[in-house]
Amino acid sequence: MENKNLIDLEVMTPQQIDKIIKKAQKIMKNPSDYRHSCDSKILATLFYEPSTRTQMSFQTAMLKLGGRTIGFDNPMNSSVSKGESLKDTITIIGGYADIIAIRHPIEGSATAASLYAGVPVINCGDGGHLHPTQTLTDIVTLSCEKGKLDNLKIGVCGDLLNGRTVHSLIKTLAKYKNNSFVLISTKELSIPLYIIDILEKNNCKYEFSDNLAESIGGLDVLYMTRIQRERFASEAEYEAQKNVFVLDKEKLAAAKDDMIILHPLPRNNEITVDIDDDPRALYFKQAQYGMYGRMALILLLLQDDEFFIDNRETTVSEHKCSNPKCITQQEDYLPNLSYEKKGMVMCDFCDKRMD
Ligand code: CP
């Protein structure tokens, strides 16, 4: 089965990912060649959660391609505030727009939207689950700045439990040859086990660290992340975690000259502002690369008849997913879609085990 939704980069082959990167690089070289590519097309940006970069870079991407945008950035200003279901909202918007970019606080919501849209759906972040177009941003940046996506030692630091950008990035880079990972976090915010499974399945080397200063020396890439305050059960738990890892000039002194520093942004205190002028600090440039990656993605999804993304095989399970953060817990009309992994039954929406 093939589709035109971007829910999870994991189901894409390196060749498909390479096609997006190459297209983004072509657009970067001659952006004016593409200014009428999406004339008369409409992108809907449905942001049920706050965003600066993802929402505006998608809107800018469509405008630069000659298309137009509709949408909301606060669901309380839409009929969601009157209790409209995700299914009904998406069904309606799918009749207005040619492509939908959605961010939602609940895991699996982009997959749910894709069942009813009738037009391509792009996952712009679903709860603490995935954020594939951030990963697209990250890999376009790596391709342009490092010239490769393989043979890299990547340190990921911060909130590895709730940071959906980290999950998507590791899942994608694990597919490329000889990448290794240093997972720098507190015990409480360590990476979910399903990501470790993916690293093992791909024979990637990985190590755990709770000390950024000690781990920074051998890295090619340091990917810093924000502690995701909005995902904590209590303020006290957040307070205990914030500011544990701060990249400052003193720690950076031990890094390689060609290590690059990435961050999906927004930042809180995890990178001190005096690092912004260091040539290794690429996080603002990274956000610009993201816009070109999103232009490439829109073009391929709308205009390239050969650009399909593989669907995994699913079946309807007898049981509902028990993950309290899964969209199936909120929107009870959704089918109990599941897939099999290593003999286990997994929820197709949130990727948590169902059996
Ligand atoms: N990186 C990222 O997703 O930023 P926004 O939340 O501002 O979209």
Side-chain angles (χ1 to χ4, degrees):
M1 283 268 287
E2 294 169 324
N3 70 57
K4 286 244 176 194
N5 305 304
L6 181 63
I7 306 298
D8 181 354
L9 278 188
E10 197 195 11
V11 298
M12 293 179 74
T13 62
Q15 291 73 25
Q16 286 171 312
I17 292 174
D18 198 47
K19 198 166 178 174
I20 307 178
I21 296 169
K22 293 265 162 43
K23 177 71 89 179
Q25 289 171 332
K26 271 178 87 172
I27 298 171
M28 272 177 231
K29 278 203 186 110
N30 292 302
S32 60
D33 287 358
Y34 297 87
R35 67 179 172 222
H36 294 297
S37 299
C38 285
D39 280 357
S40 84
K41 297 291 184 196
I42 294 177
L43 164 76
T45 52
L46 307 184
F47 276 62
Y48 290 73
E49 261 194 344
S51 166
T52 297
R53 276 145 294 273
T54 313
Q55 184 189 25
M56 290 197 214
S57 65
F58 261 115
Q59 291 171 339
T60 310
M62 192 49 145
L63 294 173
K64 280 180 178 279
L65 292 169
R68 284 169 289 169
T69 67
I70 57 170
F72 55 74
D73 55 15
N74 179 353
M76 288 303 111
N77 293 335
S78 78
S79 288
V80 174
S81 66
K82 302 173 204 163
E84 186 164 64
S85 69
L86 183 65
K87 175 180 191 281
D88 288 2
T89 301
I90 294 296
T91 304
I92 296 301
I93 305 296
Y96 298 158
D98 299 286
I99 185 163
I100 294 174
I102 181 170
R103 171 172 289 184
H104 197 286
I106 313 287
E107 297 180 12
S109 47
T111 299
S114 73
L115 300 180
Y116 307 108
V119 297
V121 169
I122 300 171
N123 183 5
C124 294
D126 58 333
H129 185 215
L130 297 169
H131 190 349
T133 68
Q134 179 60 48
T135 303
L136 196 54
T137 297
D138 303 338
I139 60 179
V140 170
T141 306
L142 287 174
S143 298
C144 293
E145 297 290 337
K146 285 299 212 184
K148 61 183 184 180
L149 294 174
D150 54 13
N151 291 291
L152 293 168
K153 185 167 184 179
I154 304 132
V156 287
C157 178
D159 189 345
L160 307 191
L161 176 66
N162 300 303
R164 57 195 176 193
T165 62
V166 173
H167 305 167
S168 285
L169 181 67
I170 294 176
K171 283 168 80 170
T172 301
L173 289 179
K175 287 179 204 275
Y176 292 85
K177 208 170 49 119
N178 206 27
N179 283 330
S180 61
F181 297 87
V182 184
L183 308 165
I184 308 161
S185 73
T186 60
K187 199 157 38 63
E188 292 80 7
L189 296 184
S190 61
I191 201 91
L193 280 178
Y194 87 96
I195 298 290
I196 298 294
D197 282 348
I198 289 167
L199 290 174
E200 296 201 341
K201 191 175 115 195
N202 287 283
N203 296 318
C204 292
K205 285 191 192 145
Y206 64 92
E207 60 191 87
F208 297 99
S209 165
D210 60 6
N211 192 319
L212 175 58
E214 281 175 10
S215 299
I216 200 168
L219 301 178
D220 300 307
V221 181
L222 174 59
Y223 195 91
M224 293 296 294
T225 63
R226 176 177 67 91
I227 305 300
Q228 307 263 303
R229 182 183 204 153
E230 64 277 26
R231 314 260 179 243
F232 281 75
S234 72
E235 191 61 16
E237 285 168 85
Y238 167 70
E239 288 292 325
Q241 296 293 333
K242 78 170 195 195
N243 301 338
V244 173
F245 298 105
V246 177
L247 179 64
D248 54 19
K249 282 203 162 178
E250 196 185 334
K251 292 191 192 83
L252 190 57
K256 295 201 291 194
D257 289 343
D258 65 350
M259 184 195 82
I260 62 171
I261 308 162
L262 302 183
H263 191 310
L265 304 177
R267 123 178 98 175
N268 291 151
N269 301 318
E270 58 277 359
I271 302 177
T272 56
V273 172
D274 58 2
I275 284 180
D276 294 353
D277 296 328
D278 191 293
R280 292 168 287 189
L282 293 186
Y283 28 91
F284 296 126
K285 200 170 177 189
Q286 182 184 357
Q288 282 243 308
Y289 283 126
M291 184 192 67
Y292 290 109
R294 290 174 174 120
M295 286 173 81
L297 179 65
I298 291 170
L299 272 180
L300 290 168
L301 290 175
L302 286 182
Q303 298 195 342
D304 187 331
D305 291 339
E306 291 173 8
F307 189 78
F308 285 97
I309 299 169
D310 288 341
N311 254 343
R312 53 190 170 209
E313 294 276 325
T314 57
T315 53
V316 180
S317 166
E318 280 175 36
H319 307 291
K320 209 175 186 61
C321 175
S322 60
N323 172 13
K325 295 179 178 170
C326 180
I327 191 73
T328 55
Q329 296 277 339
Q330 307 271 330
E331 309 270 335
D332 57 11
Y333 51 82
L334 288 167
N336 300 326
L337 292 181
S338 62
Y339 64 96
E340 204 192 303
K341 191 174 93 178
K342 287 195 206 160
M344 297 181 292
V345 181
M346 312 296 290
C347 174
D348 190 46
F349 296 94
C350 69
D351 291 306
K352 301 289 181 308
R353 197 170 166 176
M354 287 176 86
D355 55 350

